Every structure is written in C-alpha cells, then in structure tokens.
C-alpha cells in the first residue's frame, strides 16, 4: 500500500507520482528521479514486477478510486493524459483538487493559444486539459513538448526490411530528445521552489522534417535511407489493418494534414536543466542498435 505520510519540512524528500510511467517518456522520468533519490510512486494499468524504491498503484486515470489511492500523500504529480478526449478527466480533476499536490502537466507545442479550435484532436485535447487544470484552480506548471525523437522507433520494423521509411509526413518542427524532456520534468518535480514561469516550451536545437530525420539516422547507420510520404487514405488503411484504434488513426492523419510547421526553438530546456538540448543525430547515435539489424533483402 502507498505510504500516506506527506513529507514535511523543506529538507524532506517530496513524494512524487508519475503517470504514464510505462511509456518512452515516463520511463525516462522515473529513471532520472530514481537516480536523484526521489521518493516515487507510479500509476500503472497492469501489475508489474516490484522495483526497488518505487511504490506502484494499479489503476487508470479515469478511475477515481485508483487515482485517489495513487494521490494519497503525494507532494507533486507529473500528469500525462493518455486519451483523445478530456471528458473523462473531470473526476481526475476533482481528485487532484482534494489531494492538492503540485501539478506538472506534459502538453504539446502544437497548441495555438490564439486559436478558438486547435488544428487536430491531439493538440485540442491538450489545450482542453490545460484549460481544465487552470479552471479548477490547480495552477499547473505546463511543459509543452515538441515532437519526441523516440517516435522514430516506429521505423525500426521497416528498416529491418530495407532502406525506405514510408509513412505520413509531418510539418517541420524542432524535434526534441525525450531524455531532455525527462530531465526538464525531473528538475521541475524536484525543485525546492517554484520556477520563474508557469509555461515552458521544450524544443530541440534544430528544426527538422521527417525526411531530415531519416537522412540523419541513415548517416549514423551508414545506410542510404530515404523517406517516402504515404497519402492519407493509404496510411489510414495501413494503420487500421495494423490494429490501431480508429480514433487514434484519424487523429494522426489530422495532425499530418492540418498541423502547421514551426520554426521555433527555445532555451527552456537549458533554463531548467543547466545544459542545452541534444541534437537528433546524438539521439540516433545513442539508439543506433535499435535500428542496426541488417536489412533483409528480397530475392
């Protein structure tokens, strides 16, 4: 059972809840917090093997009972909302209000603060979640992350078959290493005082297209890789055939078709962590073994 004793005093270690701990980013955040000696609890959908120094609660962000258990005694929570609709978040907001932890919400740079409606469902749900947290008086600290470099892991199966990465194209954006986002999140979660601002925009150092990423990955792997854009209708058929849920497929297509590109880069990761963000080439170099299986050539 979770330890329900809230830490006291400025020198005490806070008890931190990480949601989405099984994902690419969540795992990185947990690793960093553990390395810094934080007291940790994670909310997971399925029971996992016990991990030294980490409490776990099995449940779901849409289940008030498990959320209440996970929030007991918590000082700060990193909130990653996993759904494409914010309607189910109302009970979560009530539980957060009752527990009153510091809330750090991981959002997206795709949000246009001047728009009445966002360009795609993914940006929209994050904008809705930010609005709900603010309206509830929770005063969240929002980390808006750009496209994560780890998204390219989905290319690995294709690269085992050949040198072409095909898929939906996306507009150019400042792709960011998920490890840098995790470092920024950990810095905020462990801070002994509130940061200077309530919104940080976390980007990589360079703006890249999908073709740019493929080319940089190819240079690291010493292979002549190329990107082949797939029309939306064909991409929809392929993703549905692969078993992806239809709402997710439609959201991904909408993001590809409607989301505008961005040339924005910021120094916010450096402000929070004390060092500049890494390049996509550095990420690709560190993760080369995941892509480096020899391609299977057809006869």
């Amino acid at each position: 059972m979770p330890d329900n004793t809230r830490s006291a005093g400025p020198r005490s270690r806070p008890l931190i809840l990480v949601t989405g701990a099984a994902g690419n980013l969540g795992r990185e955040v947990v690793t960093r917090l553990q390395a810094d000696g934080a007291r940790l609890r994670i909310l997971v959908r399925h029971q996992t093997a016990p991990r030294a120094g980490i409490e776990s609660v099995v449940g779901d962000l849409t289940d008030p009972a498990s959320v209440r258990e996970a929030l007991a005694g918590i000082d700060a929570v990193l909130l990653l909302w996993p759904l494409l609709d914010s309607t189910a978040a109302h009970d979560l907001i009530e539980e957060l209000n009752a527990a009153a932890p510091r809330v750090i919400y991981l959002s997206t740079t795709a949000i246009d603060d001047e728009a009445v409606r966002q360009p795609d469902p993914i940006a929209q749900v994050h904008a809705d979640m930010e609005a709900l947290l603010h309206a509830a008086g929770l005063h969240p600290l929002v980390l808006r992350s750009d496209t994560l470099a780890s998204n390219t892991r989905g290319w690995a199966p294709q690269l085992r078959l050949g040198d072409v990465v095909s898929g939906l194209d996306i507009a150019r954006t400042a792709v960011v290493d998920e490890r840098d986002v995790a470092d920024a999140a950990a810095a905020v979660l462990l801070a002994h005082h509130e940061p200077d601002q309530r919104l940080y925009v976390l980007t990589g150092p360079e703006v890249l297209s999908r073709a740019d990423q493929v080319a940089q990955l190819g240079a690291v792997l010493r292979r002549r890789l190329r990107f082949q854009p797939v029309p939306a209708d064909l991409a929809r058929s392929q993703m549905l055939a692969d078993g992806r849920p239809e709402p997710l497929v439609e959201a991904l297509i909408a993001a590809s078709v409607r989301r505008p590109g961005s040339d924005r880069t910021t120094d916010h990761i450096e402000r929070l962590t004390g060092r500049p963000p890494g390049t996509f080439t550095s990420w690709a170099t560190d993760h080369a073994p995941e892509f480096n299986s020899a391609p299977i050539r057809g006869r």
Side-chain angles (χ1 to χ4, degrees):
M1 295 294 292
D3 176 1
N4 292 338
T5 304
R6 185 181 293 274
S7 60
R11 295 183 179 275
S12 299
R13 293 182 301 154
L15 180 57
I16 298 170
L17 173 66
V18 177
T19 67
N24 285 328
L25 179 58
R27 286 196 301 269
E28 295 287 350
V29 174
V30 168
T31 296
R32 277 144 184 76
L33 292 173
Q34 250 194 320
D36 285 326
R39 298 167 61 220
L40 272 177
R41 183 181 299 157
I42 58 176
L43 178 64
V44 292
R45 295 187 126 204
H46 306 287
Q47 186 65 58
T48 57
R51 298 167 64 178
I54 300 180
E55 301 174 8
S56 65
V57 172
V58 177
D60 189 291
L61 283 173
T62 63
D63 173 35
S66 58
V67 169
R68 191 175 308 126
E69 182 183 0
L71 287 171
I74 287 293
D75 295 285
V77 56
L78 177 64
L79 179 59
L80 286 78
W81 183 248
L83 304 180
L84 289 170
D85 186 350
S86 64
T87 304
H90 291 280
D91 288 339
L92 167 66
I93 299 294
E94 289 186 11
E95 297 299 333
L96 286 169
N97 256 324
R102 292 175 59 229
V103 177
I104 291 83
Y105 180 67
L106 187 75
S107 188
T108 175
T109 58
I111 290 175
D112 179 357
D113 289 312
E114 304 302 319
V116 176
R117 294 292 297 174
Q118 299 302 316
D120 62 83
I122 297 171
Q124 186 63 55
V125 72
H126 283 298
D128 291 343
M129 286 297 297
E130 287 187 25
L132 283 172
L133 292 166
H134 284 294
L138 288 164
H139 307 292
L141 192 153
V142 177
L143 302 176
R144 289 184 181 172
S145 170
D146 218 315
T147 303
L148 296 179
S150 58
N151 290 352
T152 61
R153 285 189 166 117
W155 301 342
Q158 292 189 64
L159 293 180
R160 295 189 188 104
L161 299 174
D163 294 332
V164 177
V165 173
S166 63
L168 283 168
D169 204 356
I170 58 172
R172 286 162 51 86
T173 188
V175 177
V176 62
D177 190 326
E178 71 279 1
R179 297 171 297 183
D180 292 329
V181 176
D183 283 341
V188 170
L189 288 163
L190 293 169
H192 293 296
H193 55 81
E194 287 296 312
D196 296 334
Q197 57 197 64
R198 305 304 298 174
L199 172 64
Y200 288 88
V201 177
L202 309 181
T203 75
E206 56 186 339
V207 175
L208 301 172
S209 67
R210 186 63 57 92
D212 293 332
Q213 290 177 265
V214 171
Q216 289 189 17
L217 179 60
V220 168
L221 300 178
R222 298 182 180 180
R223 292 168 58 183
R224 291 188 177 182
L225 305 184
R226 65 183 178 89
F227 177 66
Q228 179 176 292
V230 171
D233 287 344
L234 178 57
R236 177 185 289 108
S237 299
Q238 290 176 341
M239 288 189 285
L240 290 173
D242 289 341
R244 294 197 190 191
E246 185 174 356
L248 175 60
V249 170
E250 295 303 327
L252 291 172
I253 290 173
S256 171
V257 172
R258 301 180 203 156
R259 187 177 295 182
S262 172
D263 292 326
R264 183 180 186 183
T265 61
T266 75
D267 65 351
H268 293 188
I269 284 177
E270 186 168 9
R271 284 195 218 171
L272 292 172
T273 68
R275 57 168 186 75
T279 64
F280 180 76
T281 293
S282 294
W283 182 92
T285 300
D286 292 341
H287 293 83
E290 298 178 32
F291 302 91
N292 225 3
S293 299
I296 302 171
R297 304 293 184 182
R299 293 186 178 181

